[in-house]
Amino acid sequence: MTATDSSFDPLIDTTVRIATWNLWWRFGPWEARLPAIVETLRRLDADVICLQEVWIELADGRSSAALIAEALGWDPANIAISNRADLDGIGFANAVISRWPVASSDWRPLFSPPEYEEYRTVVRADVDGPRGPLQVFTTHLHWRLDHSHIRQEQVREIARFVKASPHRSYPAVLTGDFNADPASDEVRMITGRAAVPEPPIVFFDAWDIAGAAATAQIADTWSNTNPYAVRDLEFSRRIDYVFAGFPKQGGAGHVTRVDLVGLDAVEAAAPIGGFGGPDGIAASAGPIMPSDHFGVVADLRY
């Protein structure tokens, strides 16, 4: 065996681009932010986009996820979405949107003590990609620093959901806002640095695999360089992730690149779905930060 031999050879040289981003629901200047979110994602040119803090107008089902998909030129039917909340007629959801058909989807509620209910969920999208099916999960865990024990139970439930999902030929991809840094017990349970809840379900952190080659100068997704985040007087840290299952033949699922999303204020060219003013954000407010979180984008061999 030589130094160049690999059980994965020959390696797949095509990739799928998967992004995850917390959109900050309807907080802050949310109507003006939506066109900036779309413009940022348009420039990113991802294939599958996982979203947290999606809003849904429960009366008619209109959602920020569907509006974004439509603005990107994607079929709004290519969506998997979960929702447990009714906040004065507006839902608080997670979603996966895709440029390719979503053949099926499912979701689960996640554990939360009644006194700390945050309506957390995990959603799965079964994406019918051009080189085979993809199984993509996204979630959003409890936010408080003292709720690691709750997040650990939520990770256990997510692992059970992934394990019980239909057979997949491509490694599972798990994304989202985990509200925990890489050294936390809950993230270590996902990456095998602590006992995994449901062997053999374990994931690689995309930043561990490809972060050294990232073009971004920082890895923190909750960052005091963000004018929205700094107002909370918390410390900067990496809490948003793309996790990929162990690579399969040809290196399928291997992360080749990872970077941050939404680092800069954006001037959008046109309003989205009636939001942003009649002349668009460029005329009404100038450049604007899209969200209080930075997102993560990763390219995986596919």
Side-chain angles (χ1 to χ4, degrees), residues 207 210-220 257-261 263 294-295:
W207 213 270
T215 58
Q217 297 302 305
I218 60 172
D220 297 326
R257 178 184 172 86
V258 65
D259 214 333
L260 297 185
V261 176
L263 294 171
F294 300 145

Side-chain angles (χ1 to χ4, degrees), residues 6-17:
S6 168
S7 59
F8 297 107
D9 286 340
L11 291 175
I12 299 166
D13 59 8
T14 54
T15 58
V16 57
R17 177 163 291 181

Side-chain angles (χ1 to χ4, degrees), residues 26-223:
R26 288 193 171 192
F27 298 116
W30 65 274
E31 291 178 299
R33 292 192 299 102
L34 184 58
I37 288 167
V38 169
E39 181 61 25
T40 302
L41 293 173
R42 181 180 289 117
R43 296 175 187 178
L44 188 65
D45 195 30
D47 301 302
V48 180
I49 302 172
C50 304
L51 304 171
Q52 303 83 49
E53 293 200 31
V54 168
W55 56 257
I56 306 174
E57 294 181 344
L58 301 179
D60 59 12
R62 184 173 69 158
S63 72
S64 51
L67 288 171
I68 291 167
E70 186 174 11
L72 293 175
W74 296 356
D75 186 341
N78 295 345
I79 186 170
I81 195 164
S82 64
N83 178 54
R84 297 174 64 194
D86 184 348
L87 307 176
D88 294 326
I90 308 296
F92 184 92
N94 299 318
V96 179
I97 59 175
S98 171
R99 71 166 72 247
W100 304 314
V102 173
S104 60
S105 64
D106 197 4
W107 67 275
R108 294 286 186 277
L110 296 179
F111 166 76
S112 182
E115 65 272 25
Y116 296 121
E117 183 60 77
E118 295 184 9
Y119 305 104
R120 303 306 191 185
T121 68
V122 57
V123 60
R124 187 190 77 236
D126 302 309
V127 177
D128 188 11
R131 295 182 293 279
L134 303 167
Q135 206 171 84
V136 181
F137 299 79
T138 200
T139 193
H140 185 189
L141 305 189
H142 266 227
W143 72 270
R144 284 177 44 163
L145 291 175
D146 60 329
H147 281 184
S148 176
H149 63 296
I150 297 175
R151 288 188 291 273
Q152 289 177 54
E153 182 56 35
Q154 291 171 338
V155 165
R156 294 185 186 99
E157 293 185 333
I158 291 167
R160 288 193 287 269
F161 182 47
V162 173
K163 189 171 186 177
S165 291
H167 173 76
R168 51 191 165 263
S169 56
Y170 188 86
V173 179
L174 172 63
T175 74
D177 174 3
F178 288 77
N179 276 309
D181 68 34
S184 66
D185 290 340
E186 47 269 41
V187 173
R188 292 170 62 245
M189 290 163 62
I190 295 169
T191 59
R193 292 177 171 90
V196 299
E198 293 289 335
I201 302 300
V202 68
F203 293 89
F204 290 147
D205 179 348
W207 213 270
D208 286 344
I209 301 299
T215 58
Q217 297 302 305
I218 60 172
D220 297 326
T221 60
W222 182 261
S223 171

Side-chain angles (χ1 to χ4, degrees), residues 283-298:
S284 60
I288 189 169
M289 285 298 294
S291 177
D292 63 336
H293 279 244
F294 300 145
V296 181
V297 59

